[in-house]
Amino acid sequence: MREVAVTAPAKVNLVLRVGARRPDGYHALATVYQAVGLHDEVAARRADGFSVEVRAEREMALAEVPTDHSNLAVRAALLLAARHGVPEGVHLRIRKGIPVAGGMAGGSADAAAALVACDALWGTQLPQERLLEIAAELGSDVPFALLGGTAVGTGRGEVVSPVPTSRRLWWVILESTVGLSTPEVYREFDRLRPDAPPDPQVPEGVLTALRDGDVAGLGAALHNDLQAAALSLRPGLAGHLEHGRVGSAHGAVLAGSGPTCLFLTDGQAHAAELVERLSSHGLGHVSCAPAPAAGALQLR
Ligand code: C5P
């Protein structure tokens, strides 16, 4: 039986500026997303109903991934079918390479991959603008997972526009086996930052550093407004970030709402060195990945 397989990348936020909570409950964001070479794969085959199975490449908080219709990949398939009159169902097999509840938008990657896979399987063949619209309904980070590369995100994160970069970057990624809840981190942000502005902006410096391939400048510009909130909920993460800084990374920053820690390095050799050094501390799984990576991509 035909199976369509699609990969989608994890994301990092080079800059994540969070504004005030909006009337719809979401927060205004101004962010610079970058897709990194850490992927989930979603394989789709025709079925009568909608179902999903999930496995992981290594130890992860898999228990936190729903395997019913609340799974974001299943919701993506259901939404595509509903909006475009598809009379069939699908069975999805997800292989997770992106940490679960890690702040790297793994669930959003699964949704983006499921959209592309079902679109190919069912022959709906939607233009990318339509897929991006459906993606935005599913979650704030889903459009970026479709697009990949490097992009500025505004709105609640769902409005994405690509930005030019001139250099491949190497990230070191320190995972945690216990995830953090994104809504909880946002709630803590609200408590700590009642003064958050209504219209956060991406600072020009980070875009200049990206365009010029200035890794040191980029390292200095890394910023995440959710970091203080995540550290308040999980104080031990401060030590994890410090370990990477000591390892002479250009910069250390929390991934999205955490708890994954990210370190920007000089290149592949430096990244491999830092992976070895951080691994020796036994803090969690450590890997490195190049960026920018492509968005959701059909493999077969
Ligand atoms: O958009 P998504 O479903 O991925 O968001 C998950 C949760 O993160 C939301 O329910 C909300 O609590 C929080 N969030 C937010 N503002 C954003 C994005 C996410 O408050 N811009």
Side-chain angles (χ1 to χ4, degrees), residues 16-30 33 72 75 79 108 134-143 154-159 182-187 189-190 193 196-200 226:
L16 178 54
R17 293 276 183 198
V18 181
R21 196 163 173 273
R22 311 188 310 194
D24 66 1
Y26 285 95
H27 292 72
L29 296 187
Y33 289 115
L72 202 54
R75 283 172 47 204
L79 191 60
S108 302
I134 299 177
E137 283 190 56
L138 290 161
S140 310
D141 296 329
V142 184
T154 52
R156 62 177 223 274
E158 88 286 18
V159 182
T182 301
E184 252 177 64
V185 173
Y186 272 102
R187 273 198 294 277
F189 172 85
D190 290 339
R193 293 283 308 278
D199 57 344
L226 292 179

Side-chain angles (χ1 to χ4, degrees), residues 142-200:
V142 184
F144 178 70
L146 272 181
L147 199 66
T150 307
V152 166
T154 52
R156 62 177 223 274
E158 88 286 18
V159 182
V160 283
S161 54
V163 297
T165 60
S166 59
R167 176 173 172 166
R168 168 176 288 232
L169 300 175
W170 278 86
W171 292 92
V172 169
I173 300 154
L174 168 59
E175 297 175 26
S176 173
T177 47
V178 183
L180 267 173
S181 149
T182 301
E184 252 177 64
V185 173
Y186 272 102
R187 273 198 294 277
E188 183 67 0
F189 172 85
D190 290 339
R191 196 180 69 80
L192 296 175
R193 293 283 308 278
D195 58 334
D199 57 344

Side-chain angles (χ1 to χ4, degrees), residues 13 24 41 70 73 155 196 207 289 295:
N13 302 82
D24 66 1
E41 185 181 314
S70 69
L207 300 177

Side-chain angles (χ1 to χ4, degrees), residues 28-254:
L29 296 187
T31 188
V32 181
Y33 289 115
Q34 184 160 65
V36 299
L38 195 65
H39 294 86
D40 279 4
E41 185 181 314
V42 176
R45 55 175 66 185
R46 289 197 165 84
D48 290 333
F50 291 80
S51 54
V52 64
E53 63 185 88
V54 186
R55 64 194 171 91
E57 286 174 2
R58 55 186 177 279
E59 193 197 346
M60 281 185 200
L62 263 199
E64 292 178 41
V65 182
T67 51
D68 57 14
H69 284 198
S70 69
N71 181 287
L72 202 54
V74 176
R75 283 172 47 204
L78 284 163
L79 191 60
L80 177 63
R83 290 293 154 79
H84 290 275
V86 176
E88 321 178 39
V90 68
H91 178 68
L92 301 172
R93 286 192 303 122
I94 300 178
R95 185 162 57 89
K96 302 227 43 103
I98 305 172
V100 172
M104 299 189 80
S108 302
D110 298 347
L115 276 182
V116 172
C118 291
D119 183 51
L121 187 74
W122 293 332
T124 35
Q125 295 187 316
L126 300 178
Q128 194 180 46
E129 309 86 78
R130 181 68 193 124
L131 288 176
L132 285 168
E133 282 170 14
I134 299 177
E137 283 190 56
L138 290 161
S140 310
D141 296 329
V142 184
F144 178 70
L146 272 181
L147 199 66
T150 307
V152 166
T154 52
R156 62 177 223 274
E158 88 286 18
V159 182
V160 283
S161 54
V163 297
T165 60
S166 59
R167 176 173 172 166
R168 168 176 288 232
L169 300 175
W170 278 86
W171 292 92
V172 169
I173 300 154
L174 168 59
E175 297 175 26
S176 173
T177 47
V178 183
L180 267 173
S181 149
T182 301
E184 252 177 64
V185 173
Y186 272 102
R187 273 198 294 277
E188 183 67 0
F189 172 85
D190 290 339
R191 196 180 69 80
L192 296 175
R193 293 283 308 278
D195 58 334
D199 57 344
Q201 304 288 327
V202 166
E204 201 49 43
V206 65
L207 300 177
T208 311
L210 275 170
R211 197 189 53 221
D212 297 346
D214 171 11
V215 189
L218 208 51
L222 295 176
H223 178 85
N224 180 353
D225 272 342
L226 292 179
Q227 187 164 309
L231 292 186
S232 162
L233 296 174
R234 187 80 64 81
L237 290 174
H240 292 199
L241 288 167
E242 195 50 35
H243 275 299
R245 265 192 213 104
V246 171
S248 77
H250 279 298
V253 73
L254 204 69

